[in-house]
Amino acid sequence: MLHLQNISIAFNEGTPDEKKALQTINMKLEKGEFVTIIGSNGAGKSTLMNVISGNLTPDVGDVSINDKQVAHLPEYKRSAFIGRVFQDPMAGTAPLMTIEENLAMAYARDKKRKLRLGVTAKRKTLFKEYLETLNMGLENRLTAKVGLLSGGERQALSLLMATFTEPNILLLDEHTAALDPSRAELIKELTYDVVKKFELTTLMVTHNMQQALDLGNRLFMMDKGQIIFDIAGKEKQELTIQKLMHEFQRIRGEQFESDRAVLG
């Protein structure tokens, strides 16, 4: 499904401010895998998402989706088969457009360009059916401007827009971080339901370690542009926050000793 080979990318290359954002990333995800990604600020999590989405082109390496090379395919072309939800509830939607107009744009994302964006009676019925799954009453507010929705409502709508065309890959970039605890829990439950329903191949970046443990069948830990820990299946289910922190400290300690040995 998704295969990254030897992906590296650096910012401000050749200057004193050079930063190696990703270093020789190799990963392979099968259809339906749900990976949660944790790591400190600057670890490369969002850069990884940007490379997959097409927002950034890697300096080195290949990105394949369904055995098709897409490393140099621009973001707008990848949007036909990649859905993404951002941290900011204001991103990913058009605030001055209505709920039904936003859904019409998302609905046309994987369709041919000649498809009209109008909200037909048939599409309105479809939109209502999908909105009802959110249990927020948004199906009764189709003509409301999206900018008037609460953060939680807007993020739920963003999640729906990113998934109701059943993309090959779903990218969730800290999509609950800006919400209050109750709304964050709601979006977490909606995420679990929609990923399970459509069997979406999903990568979710989060700073919430408990959330990273609760969701998904696989977990990546990133540090300094590398995936330093990859655990799946039963081993992931048995993880605790304490064990995760211990593993991080152990790996960082090994890296420190290795670096010190190289420096002599």
Side-chain angles (χ1 to χ4, degrees):
M1 170 58 77
L2 175 64
H3 192 190
L4 273 62
Q5 295 176 283
N6 301 317
I7 295 293
S8 294
I9 186 169
F11 300 136
N12 304 312
E13 194 170 9
T15 74
D17 297 322
E18 179 176 337
K19 173 180 173 57
K20 294 180 179 178
L22 295 177
Q23 302 185 61
T24 319
I25 295 289
N26 288 284
M27 56 178 274
K28 191 171 186 178
L29 272 63
E30 303 299 335
K31 178 176 173 53
E33 278 201 274
F34 186 167
V35 179
T36 55
I37 306 173
I38 60 171
S40 57
N41 290 332
K45 304 182 300 297
S46 290
T47 303
L48 178 64
M49 304 287 263
N50 285 331
V51 167
I52 295 170
S53 71
N55 189 42
L56 286 174
T57 301
D59 300 325
V60 178
D62 294 317
V63 179
S64 299
I65 297 175
N66 288 331
D67 298 322
K68 179 182 178 182
Q69 296 286 337
V70 299
H72 297 286
L73 198 66
E75 184 176 23
Y76 76 91
K77 289 188 176 180
R78 292 192 212 183
S79 66
F81 47 86
I82 295 178
R84 187 171 185 179
V85 184
F86 298 87
Q87 176 179 345
D88 183 1
M90 302 298 283
T93 55
L96 298 180
M97 296 175 68
T98 65
I99 291 175
E100 63 184 14
E101 288 169 340
N102 273 268
L103 287 169
M105 286 196 304
Y107 179 77
R109 183 176 56 218
D110 65 341
K111 309 296 189 297
K112 293 182 179 179
R113 289 183 178 275
K114 66 180 181 181
L115 184 67
R116 296 179 61 187
L117 294 180
V119 181
T120 64
K122 183 177 179 180
R123 289 181 199 167
K124 186 173 292 191
T125 299
L126 176 66
F127 297 161
K128 282 186 175 182
E129 290 175 356
Y130 275 92
L131 287 167
E132 284 173 356
T133 65
L134 300 179
N135 295 314
M136 290 182 166
L138 294 180
E139 66 274 12
N140 301 316
R141 300 171 61 191
L142 285 177
T143 58
K145 292 288 198 313
V146 169
L148 299 178
L149 303 181
S150 69
E153 290 171 334
R154 190 160 181 171
Q155 204 66 319
L157 179 62
S158 295
L159 181 61
L160 185 64
M161 288 172 61
T163 58
F164 83 149
T165 55
E166 299 183 41
N168 295 128
I169 295 169
L170 175 63
L171 304 177
L172 305 171
D173 199 349
E174 298 189 59
H175 69 309
T176 66
L179 305 177
D180 63 68
S182 62
R183 288 298 186 185
E185 184 64 23
L186 172 62
I187 298 302
K188 173 186 145 183
E189 292 174 0
L190 288 173
T191 299
Y192 174 82
D193 290 342
V194 75
V195 169
K196 183 178 180 181
K197 178 181 179 180
F198 296 119
E199 297 183 346
L200 299 175
T201 304
T202 304
L203 293 97
M204 185 185 83
V205 169
T206 180
H207 278 291
N208 186 318
M209 285 192 287
Q210 189 59 57
Q211 196 175 84
L213 296 175
D214 291 342
L215 292 173
N217 64 301
R218 190 173 175 186
L219 181 146
F220 291 164
M221 182 189 296
M222 294 190 68
D223 186 48
K224 298 179 181 178
Q226 298 176 307
I227 297 174
I228 62 171
F229 186 55
D230 177 358
I231 190 168
K234 184 179 179 181
E235 289 182 305
K236 178 184 182 296
Q237 293 175 10
E238 295 174 349
L239 270 180
T240 63
I241 292 178
Q242 184 178 10
K243 289 180 179 178
L244 203 54
M245 291 298 296
H246 174 77
E247 194 65 27
F248 179 69
Q249 295 298 332
R250 181 187 67 78
I251 295 170
R252 286 293 297 269
E254 289 179 354
Q255 289 178 333
F256 175 77
E257 291 299 327
S258 177
D259 291 343
R260 188 167 65 173
V262 171
L263 293 173

